[in-house]
């Protein structure tokens, strides 16, 4: 893209910007050629296609030149690779529906479109993309390609009274077509440009500026930001009023453990306290955490050694000089060799100011102040809680965090796009039957809730993660891949 995307309030400038960025002349001409080849293929073989011809049809649907490069991404994830293979399996059914949609009179074909749109099991894998693409090819000046993201584009502009959503029959499709054609006429768009411009309008835009969260953090605001029940947060915060001032948030990846720990930390610290986060890793050592010897360069070029405090010791020294709560967050605590890293901290966390120890390097007395709260997070996909040293476990409150449909639903806000996201979430949770490995709700909390955006989450985040979990059970991963791909391609 070139320059900065103009606001949609200046729609004329937005369309001009899109045209300057994407070289629409080459896009339109390349798509027009591919569409004509698709028509010729359908005219000759609709109803009797071989598998190779059907796959070629899907490739033509996706063809277009963007910025001087030929791409095959018009409908991704629909009509691509395995998604098209599922549309044409069984081939007899594919040919039957294709013949009805391509060769019958328009009104009769629209009745078949209505059947497919209202009943996803009538033509599995077709979704909205396939039947509406065929109608578009039959008459580009009347019909438009109906995608989730293009519908969202028109809804964003206020050109559809009904917001984006799943389902709906041919009457809803025809209303969408009328709105799309009016939009095209207003801005002189060729039929091959309509879905590209509307998709850009419907695509979520990244937020460039990030303002750090203010301190203090009222607990009601923590509940609002984390979507956790206020009563649950009140109970967790009350735990730190006792003598045990450390807690372990544990659960599978994507459950928001670090985010929740930081939010609770900001609440506990208040306006005068401090929150600091460190992430453990396999090479993290006692010398990094408490204290150790570090090389220094002396005059004359010789090397000497001096004792330097580690990150936690420095944090505790700061806390000694304050009456406010200081919160130390250890992210991924189970990734380090805990016994070696924590050392005397096992005892000091329990006894606080009642006990101090003589540190081996500095020979100074060290204790953990009462105003220091330690929050740690642990990924149970890496290591079960039962395998964590018992001496450590009994010194920490254990706060379990699991994939939560309620948290995800609250984050989505109940819009129409939430239905597809929640259906995708539910599908994965049903298939992954291990509470320590099921991917958390955060995976589904991205900005792009379209089928294409969700497919990217599946392909590049969830699929690689589950391939490790199901390393010895590839058939289960392949089965879930087929279900996810089918569901999302139907909504593309």
């Amino acid at each position: 893209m070139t320059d900065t995307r103009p606001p949609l309030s200046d729609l004329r400038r937005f369309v001009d910007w899109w045209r300057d960025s994407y070289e629409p002349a080459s896009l339109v001409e390349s798509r027009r050629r591919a569409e004509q080849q698709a028509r010729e293929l359908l005219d000759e073989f609709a109803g009797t296609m071989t598998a190779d011809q059907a796959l070629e049809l899907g490739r033509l649907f996706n063809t277009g030149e963007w910025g001087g490069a030929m791409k095959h991404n018009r409908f991704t994830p629909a009509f691509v690779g395995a998604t098209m293979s599922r549309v044409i399996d069984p081939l007899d059914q594919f040919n039957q529906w294709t013949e009805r949609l391509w060769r019958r009179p328009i009104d009769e074909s629209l009745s078949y479109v209505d059947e497919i749109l209202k009943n996803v099991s009538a033509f599995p894998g077709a979704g909205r993309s396939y039947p509406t693409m065929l109608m578009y090819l039959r008459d580009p000046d009347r019909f438009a390609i109906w995608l989730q993201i293009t519908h969202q584009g028109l809804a964003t502009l206020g050109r559809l009274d009904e917001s984006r959503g799943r389902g709906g029959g041919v009457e809803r499709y025809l209303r969408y077509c009328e709105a799309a054609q009016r939009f095209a006429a207003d801005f002189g768009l060729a039929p091959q440009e309509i879905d590209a411009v509307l998709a850009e309008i419907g695509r979520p835009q990244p937020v460039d500026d990030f303002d750090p969260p203010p301190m203090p953090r009222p607990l009601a605001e923590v509940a609002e930001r984390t979507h956790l029940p206020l009563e649950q947060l009140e109970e967790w915060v009350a735990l730190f009023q006792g003598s045990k001032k450390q807690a372990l948030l544990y659960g599978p990846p994507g459950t928001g453990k670090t985010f929740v720990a930081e939010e609770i930390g900001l609440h506990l610290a208040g306006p005068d306290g401090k929150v600091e986060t460190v992430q453990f890793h396999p090479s993290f050592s006692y010398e990094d955490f408490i204290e150790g010897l570090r090389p220094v360069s002396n005059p004359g070029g010789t090397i000497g050694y001096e004792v330097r405090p580690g990150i936690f010791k420095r944090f505790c020294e700061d806390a000694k000089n304050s009456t406010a709560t200081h919160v130390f967050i250890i992210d991924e605590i189970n990734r380090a060799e805990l016994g070696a890293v924590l050392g005397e901290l096992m005892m000091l966390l329990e006894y606080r100011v009642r006990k101090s120890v003589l540190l081996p390097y500095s020979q100074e007395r060290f204790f953990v102040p009462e105003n220091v709260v330690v929050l740690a997070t642990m990924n149970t996909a890496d290591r079960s809680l039962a395998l964590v040293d018992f001496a450590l476990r009994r010194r920490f409150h254990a706060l379990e965090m699991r994939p939560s449909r309620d948290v995800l639903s609250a984050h989505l806000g109940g819009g129409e796009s939430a239905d597809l996201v929640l259906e995708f979430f539910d599908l994965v949770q049903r298939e992954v039957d291990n509470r320590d490995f099921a991917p958390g709700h955060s995976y589904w909390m991205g900005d792009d809730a379209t089928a294409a955006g969700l497919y990217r989450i599946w392909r590049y985040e969830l699929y690689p993660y589950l391939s490790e979990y199901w390393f010895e059970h590839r058939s289960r991963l392949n089965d879930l891949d087929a279900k996810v791909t089918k569901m999302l391609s139907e909504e593309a």
Side-chain angles (χ1 to χ4, degrees), residues 377-394:
T377 72
M378 174 181 158
N379 183 352
T380 54
D382 294 334
R383 190 179 187 186
S384 169
L385 183 63
L387 298 178
V388 175
D389 187 282
F390 180 75
L392 176 69
R393 273 191 291 148
R394 73 180 185 84

Side-chain angles (χ1 to χ4, degrees), residues 262-295:
E262 290 176 342
E263 289 293 311
I264 292 175
L266 289 171
H267 169 73
L268 293 172
D272 302 316
K274 181 179 181 181
V275 179
E276 189 160 326
T277 302
V278 63
Q279 186 178 72
F280 277 6
H281 48 78
S283 62
F284 209 89
S285 67
Y286 177 89
E287 288 74 16
D288 298 316
F289 197 62
I290 303 297
E291 69 171 15
L293 294 175
R294 291 289 184 260

